[in-house]
Amino acid sequence: MTDAPDNSGIAYVHAPDKHRYEIRDGETLAGFTQYRLPDDVHVDFVHTEVDDAYGGRGLAGELVAAALADVRSQGKRIIAHCPYVARWLTKHHDYDDITDPAS
């Protein structure tokens, strides 16, 4: 039996000045999902990455969930040019109502 990864101390933070949502382990940047704002309505996710030292812990999925929940709370819509976010959305249909196709 393997131990579950220790995700205590992990925080998901919006860094609007950098146009990204971050995974923070204290002061350490463990990963992020980058976005652009093509208009006043959409948040277009373009890239997601997690440092190798933090891989396999489910952090990217938790980050995307937190980011999309924040987008919803702002009354905006999602576009997913990022392959990871697009794949995540195919498994989490609770965001279908605010997702527009990437063109």
Side-chain angles (χ1 to χ4, degrees):
M1 182 168 143
T2 59
D3 293 329
D6 179 13
N7 288 344
S8 63
I10 297 294
Y12 304 97
V13 180
H14 188 196
D17 57 317
K18 297 177 183 174
H19 285 197
R20 67 187 188 188
Y21 290 85
E22 300 176 341
I23 303 167
R24 290 266 169 197
D25 184 4
E27 294 297 314
T28 302
L29 178 65
F32 62 88
T33 186
Q34 190 87 33
Y35 63 84
R36 65 183 191 91
L37 301 171
D39 53 46
D40 292 339
V41 177
H42 292 97
V43 178
D44 182 2
F45 289 89
V46 295
H47 180 71
T48 302
E49 67 180 72
V50 175
D51 186 286
D52 289 343
Y54 292 87
R57 295 169 55 175
L59 299 179
E62 290 180 18
L63 173 65
V64 169
L68 300 188
D70 187 57
V71 170
R72 182 187 294 279
S73 75
Q74 295 175 45
K76 294 193 175 189
R77 300 186 60 79
I78 298 160
I79 299 172
H81 278 101
C82 170
Y84 182 86
V85 174
R87 198 168 42 255
W88 190 93
L89 284 165
T90 66
K91 299 174 185 173
H92 299 87
H93 296 285
D94 43 331
Y95 291 97
D96 288 352
D97 62 318
I98 64 166
T99 301
D100 290 327
S103 53

